[in-house]
Amino acid sequence: MRKKLLPALCLCLLLFGCSRPPAEPASGVSTLPVETPPQSLKLGLATVTTVSKSQNATPDFPGVARTDITMAAVTVDESGIIHQCILDGITGVIPFDATGALQAPEDLSFHSKNELGDSYGMHKASPMGKEWDQQAASFAAYAVGKRVDELHSGDVAASVTVDTDSFLQAICAAVQESSDLGTQEGDRLALSSDACMDNSRSADSDAGQNGSACCSAVMGAVTFRGEKITACRFDGVETNLPFTPDGIVSTNVSLPQLSKDILADAYGIRRCGAEGKCWYQQANAFAATTIGLTAQQVSRLPREENLPSPDGSAAHSIERLQLLTEKAWQQTAAN
């Protein structure tokens, strides 16, 4: 009889143990899943600029001061992996004749190649029928998920026909110059620009004065979370090509054209308000004020502050930088 009761008793104990409610968690210990905070990313912006395609004027054909700018904006994690990448370009052509006279309106401006889209016209000459902005987007997409040492132009030869050397240089420089400004994974990246013919003048043979063809460009890399700016960087390029009264470019066009951020103090210090600061210092300070604001709020900021130019001529208003944030927002809102 005792042998029959023992198995029955063990069965009851097993059933009772399985039916007990779960033990209460220790005091102060949460049972909710822990959410991983978004990964912090660095924001980078860089340009590669050349004036090597500039030409002298002849009696039959005008000369040109040509500026070619390739721009790259990236977001990068701590291990150097590119999370987002945008490429764009600007070609600024300022003509002049053999008498040293500019052949362009004073308000001449230059749209970026992404802004021009199909009207840039490369698809007509491309064997694949692809426009410049499409090929730039293909290369930018190829860069995502890679480190700079993993980027090779030959890997995307089948999807682009443009020279990718400037793409590689711009992306590598943007990664190298990237910094932690508040961007997080999931923020949307935009790259905007504004370029015009600024401080240009015809030559004056009577005074023995050379002319000057200047393409002045500013660009901004901005990240957004919702409508608010989480990080912002600005840079600028000014190519000032002198030409003689008989239309001859009087500078070495093979020399590198550095951006204002790279030139830093060498770009020139001019007074701005009560303080003498370089262009990059003031641009960085303005970029910092945009954090947490919407592009619309940035557009309402006071415009009394000016950004200096290296030759002491009329300073540039921060209105151009405000325009960059607005254009950046329009890009992200459209996508």
Side-chain angles (χ1 to χ4, degrees), residues 60-283:
D60 298 320
F61 297 98
V64 291
R66 172 167 169 163
T67 300
D68 290 291
I69 305 171
T70 302
M71 304 170 284
V74 297
T75 57
V76 192
D77 65 22
E78 286 297 329
S79 63
I81 295 176
I82 299 169
H83 284 239
Q84 296 178 85
C85 178
I86 301 176
L87 292 165
D88 202 352
I90 296 171
T91 294
V93 177
I94 302 174
F96 52 88
D97 64 20
T99 68
L102 287 172
Q103 301 295 300
E106 292 182 359
D107 60 350
L108 180 64
S109 61
F110 310 107
H111 295 291
S112 81
K113 296 176 183 179
N114 284 351
E115 290 173 327
L116 290 170
D118 287 347
S119 63
Y120 182 66
M122 178 172 282
H123 66 281
K124 299 174 183 177
S126 171
M128 295 181 298
K130 285 189 175 182
E131 191 49 75
W132 190 96
D133 63 322
Q134 295 173 309
Q135 299 187 54
S138 294
F139 197 94
Y142 154 76
V144 172
K146 297 179 178 65
R147 298 180 177 88
V148 293
D149 59 356
E150 299 173 315
L151 300 178
H152 307 283
S153 58
D155 294 344
V156 288
S159 60
V160 297
T161 57
V162 296
D163 182 5
T164 57
D165 285 348
S166 60
F167 289 167
L168 281 170
Q169 293 176 42
I171 292 173
C172 290
V175 171
Q176 183 177 358
E177 297 296 326
S178 63
S179 57
D180 189 354
L181 300 173
T183 301
Q184 293 182 348
E185 192 172 9
D187 293 354
R188 304 185 314 284
L189 173 66
L191 170 61
S192 59
S193 63
D194 178 67
C196 62
M197 186 180 81
D198 196 20
N199 292 329
S200 298
R201 65 177 186 274
S202 297
D204 186 342
S205 57
D206 293 336
Q209 185 180 48
N210 284 343
S212 176
C214 178
C215 175
S216 172
V218 288
M219 54 284 303
V222 188
T223 55
F224 293 88
R225 189 179 310 141
E227 295 185 2
K228 292 189 176 181
I229 296 170
T230 55
C232 181
R233 294 187 70 146
F234 297 117
D235 204 349
V237 175
E238 277 191 16
T239 57
N240 223 320
L241 270 70
F243 54 90
T244 65
D246 53 355
I248 305 299
V249 177
S250 57
T251 189
N252 185 351
V253 296
S254 65
L255 293 176
Q257 303 292 313
L258 302 179
S259 76
K260 297 177 183 180
D261 201 37
I262 298 298
L263 287 170
D265 290 355
Y267 179 69
I269 299 177
R270 289 293 179 267
R271 287 184 60 81
C272 178
E275 300 179 1
K277 289 184 178 180
C278 287
W279 188 95
Y280 79 99
Q281 292 172 313
Q282 296 178 67

